[in-house]
Amino acid sequence: MNEILGQSPDLTHILRTLPMIALSDASVLISGETGTGKELIALSLHEQSRRKDNALVTINCAALPTEDIELDLFGRSNEQGEVTFRGRLLAAEGGTVFLDEVDALPLSVQAKVLRFLEAGECQLQGSHRLHVADVRILAATSADLPAEVKAGRFRADLFYRLQVVPIELPALRERSEDIPLLMKHYLKAYAGNNAVVRLSKEAEQSFLHYHWPGNIRELQNLCQRLALLHAGELLQPGDLPREMRPEVTIQQHQFQLPPSGIDLAKVELDLIEQALEMAAGNRSKAARLLGISRDTLLYRMQKYNLSP
């Protein structure tokens, strides 16, 4: 599940540059929307670097309480300068530290991270003694850091120091040609010993036309759910989450009214049958087409002896 999959031009260009970037110790800023695979890029950079035999320490800056971030990063020492709690930067000696959601760092901690980037040294809580560590820094953000700098929430000098090498990941909707590859990969991977889920052409189109606000992570989670609940089945659009279905509305489709001169009951029956056909038997969708509640539709189906 840690593979970076895709053949789109933007992603292909990024993957081509990773080996060159990995050989350097320059800091890297990986930007992109949530779920675009920033952590996979960081992992790939570490695994292709000279530091691969040492630790990759990931720190989610947004997940740590503000009062604990400095201690967690740098650690604590006594008045003599002896380390009593080793922070993650010191613990990653010889390896790589990945600062995920770096935009969440408080300004007071940003100053200390900047000092570490510039001199490779840090001051632990409890002492004025400086400690040195050989660590490469990778950072990631889904925020607009230039806007954060302009708003005074992020230090400009730290921003420029982090993005010695910038990598901007495209959103999944910007690389839609990769969706079939990712979809098939995850459905097969999550099938395990079960039969692989298959998609009708209409369901595949739903995957392609959906805007994927959660990007690859959303697609991966959906494939896991489908593999669990629909093993071996051929899925139709109606089997997908509601937000992915091509909703049919009265405004989009013209109901065929029967000829004039017949009774209203016949008109009502014909409209119900048309709505059910257009909704592929989905009663909730048929009710929405008719502009009535699902309970009302069920009542009228019973009235006309239609199978509920």
Side-chain angles (χ1 to χ4, degrees):
M1 295 298 179
N2 290 330
E3 298 176 77
I4 304 172
L5 299 174
Q7 300 170 343
S8 60
D10 286 347
L11 185 65
T12 300
H13 172 72
I14 291 170
L15 296 180
R16 261 202 317 262
T17 64
L18 289 186
M20 293 180 287
I21 300 171
L23 294 176
S24 165
D25 271 344
S27 54
V28 178
L29 180 62
I30 310 164
S31 59
E33 295 180 10
T34 298
T36 48
K38 297 183 290 293
E39 60 281 355
L40 291 181
I41 296 294
L43 177 62
S44 178
L45 286 172
H46 175 72
E47 290 183 339
Q48 296 182 70
S49 75
R50 65 178 180 85
R51 300 174 179 273
K52 62 183 178 181
D53 294 328
N54 295 314
L56 168 64
V57 177
T58 297
I59 303 170
N60 187 323
C61 302
L64 294 172
T66 302
E67 62 274 13
D68 293 340
I69 291 179
E70 182 178 346
L71 177 63
D72 193 79
L73 278 175
F74 301 106
R76 182 190 294 116
S77 63
N78 58 27
E79 293 181 357
Q80 291 72 41
E82 298 168 334
V83 177
T84 57
F85 175 76
R86 188 175 295 273
R88 299 204 205 182
L89 285 173
L90 295 184
E93 173 66 32
T96 305
V97 167
F98 175 45
L99 299 175
D100 197 9
E101 299 189 71
V102 69
D103 53 283
L105 285 176
L107 284 168
S108 58
V109 178
Q110 290 178 30
K112 295 195 171 187
V113 172
L114 176 63
R115 181 174 188 171
F116 184 80
L117 280 166
E118 292 179 336
E121 59 187 24
C122 56
Q123 182 180 330
L124 279 59
Q125 290 183 357
S127 171
H128 294 293
R129 179 180 172 185
L130 296 176
H131 295 260
V132 177
D134 173 26
V135 173
R136 184 186 192 180
I137 299 291
L138 308 176
T141 182
S142 57
D144 182 349
L145 273 193
E148 293 296 295
V149 169
K150 189 174 181 179
R153 292 187 292 266
F154 201 85
R155 293 180 61 116
D157 46 8
L158 177 58
F159 169 63
Y160 293 120
R161 192 65 183 79
L162 283 172
Q163 72 150 9
V164 173
V165 181
I167 297 177
E168 185 172 354
L169 295 180
L172 184 56
R173 63 183 171 276
E174 296 168 355
R175 44 181 285 225
S176 57
E177 61 265 55
D178 288 336
I179 291 175
L181 173 67
L182 291 164
M183 175 186 69
K184 291 172 184 175
H185 170 78
Y186 288 127
L187 287 175
K188 182 177 180 180
Y190 284 118
N193 295 325
N194 297 323
V196 178
V197 172
R198 295 167 296 131
L199 299 182
S200 67
K201 289 183 179 179
E202 294 78 11
E204 286 187 4
Q205 288 300 308
S206 294
F207 267 73
L208 288 171
H209 294 152
Y210 182 54
H211 61 290
W212 298 107
N215 292 290
I216 299 171
R217 185 178 297 131
E218 182 183 5
L219 185 147
Q220 181 178 353
N221 291 342
L222 174 60
C223 288
Q224 184 176 16
R225 187 194 326 161
L226 294 176
L228 177 66
L229 299 178
H230 300 280
E233 296 180 22
L234 176 65
L235 301 189
Q236 303 296 334
D239 299 310
L240 301 177
R242 177 171 296 174
E243 60 271 17
M244 293 181 65
R245 300 173 196 164
E247 292 295 338
V248 182
T249 65
I250 292 177
Q251 291 74 22
Q252 293 170 323
H253 288 76
Q254 184 72 39
F255 284 99
Q256 298 300 315
L257 295 176
S260 59
I262 63 173
D263 64 286
L264 291 178
K266 174 62 175 168
V267 172
E268 184 177 55
L269 174 59
D270 285 344
L271 287 175
I272 290 173
E273 289 177 335
Q274 286 182 57
L276 287 168
E277 182 178 355
M278 292 167 68
N282 186 304
R283 292 183 290 277
S284 296
K285 186 181 292 185
R288 288 198 298 273
L289 289 173
L290 294 165
I292 60 178
S293 71
R294 187 175 185 275
D295 287 341
T296 299
L297 174 63
L298 293 176
Y299 167 77
R300 292 180 180 175
M301 288 175 67
Q302 276 187 323
K303 174 182 172 183
Y304 295 113
N305 294 318
L306 296 175
S307 299

